[in-house]
Amino acid sequence: MDMILTLAAQNLLSPIILCFALGVAAALARSDLNFPEAIAKGMSLYLLFAIGFKGGASVAGHGVDGQLIASLVAGVILSALLPLIAFALLRSMTKLSTLDAAAVAAHYGSISIVTFVAGSSILEAQGIEFEGYMVAVAAAMEAPAIVSALWLISRQGEGAKSMDGALMREIMLNGSIVLLVGSFVIGMVTGKDGLSEIAPFISAPFKGVLCLFLLDMGLVAGRGLARAKGAVSGATIAFGLIMPLIGAAIGLLAALVLGLSVGGAALMMVLSASASYIAVPAAMRVALPEANPAVYLTLSLGITFPFNLTLGIPLYVATASAVIGG
């Protein structure tokens, strides 16, 4: 418990978290602070490229082995399984319709790459090493959750667009997935030599850009919370706090089976506990257009994302250290 509280205090006082808090506070105070859309998009692209490239370079040094492949398979299974658990929990805890419950569930099987980046940064600050291929696991966990959500809807006999070519293109060619996977491949091909060539671009500015990006995310989350009054109930908010803990516990079990390091286990917990607010909302607009965005965006971006940044990540790191680090 002392370790969790210490990590939480350090995390809450880090520039990354304080920038997010500033954004939320500015939004709730109705400040006119704002990032132009092009700049916000540029920061997102930079972060995806940097984390993908560094992960690929790490894999080049590590080599492709059975543990990497097993981790990718485990990520796909987790992404497909977690929405089923989330859906059952939502149907028992809340009054959400089947359609909205399935849309929300998809977000909790997919991942938040920004939460992953924040978790990686905190591990690096703590001097805790982790498997570089975890970024590939993150990419593998983006899409299966969407397929699970569509299966849930078809099983319930409610309307949803079929898994046609247009929807598959929307899922698999989502910009975040393409850039993350593409930069990972480039990093893996060029290895440490390629990393050293562009290190001044993707290493030194990384945390500064992350701070500005999370300031913008705080603004988005704060304004979403302000607009969504009445859209979600207390039970729905409780789900947004409970589901990350359930996902993290399942992620820890997977990490134990895979034999991951403390850092790798912590990141598997972060991935399993996070909720998408980029790739899945884009797919939901196509696949489940009648689902209410105020519900799934408020939960993923307004409730679970802040919880993971402030309390969740320190809890996951401390738990992985206690269970695996001995």
Side-chain angles (χ1 to χ4, degrees), residues 41-66:
K41 182 70 172 178
M43 291 190 295
S44 175
L45 294 174
Y46 169 84
L47 292 173
L48 287 167
F49 178 82
I51 194 68
F53 194 100
K54 288 189 286 186
S58 178
V59 168
H62 176 273
V64 177
D65 58 16

Side-chain angles (χ1 to χ4, degrees), residues 90 93-96 228 230-242 299 303:
L90 283 164
M93 286 180 61
T94 75
K95 296 181 180 179
L96 290 180
V232 294
S233 65
T236 311
I237 293 172
F239 164 84
L241 300 174
I242 294 171
L299 282 175
I303 304 298

Side-chain angles (χ1 to χ4, degrees), residues 51-52 54-56 58-59 62 116 130-137 184:
I51 194 68
K54 288 189 286 186
S58 178
V59 168
H62 176 273
F116 175 81
F130 54 88
E131 290 82 355
Y133 58 73
M134 289 306 296
V135 67
V137 178
F184 179 87

Side-chain angles (χ1 to χ4, degrees), residues 180-198:
L180 187 64
V181 174
S183 60
F184 179 87
V185 171
I186 293 171
M188 189 166 62
V189 170
T190 58
K192 292 184 177 179
D193 291 338
L195 179 61
S196 63
E197 280 188 48
I198 62 172

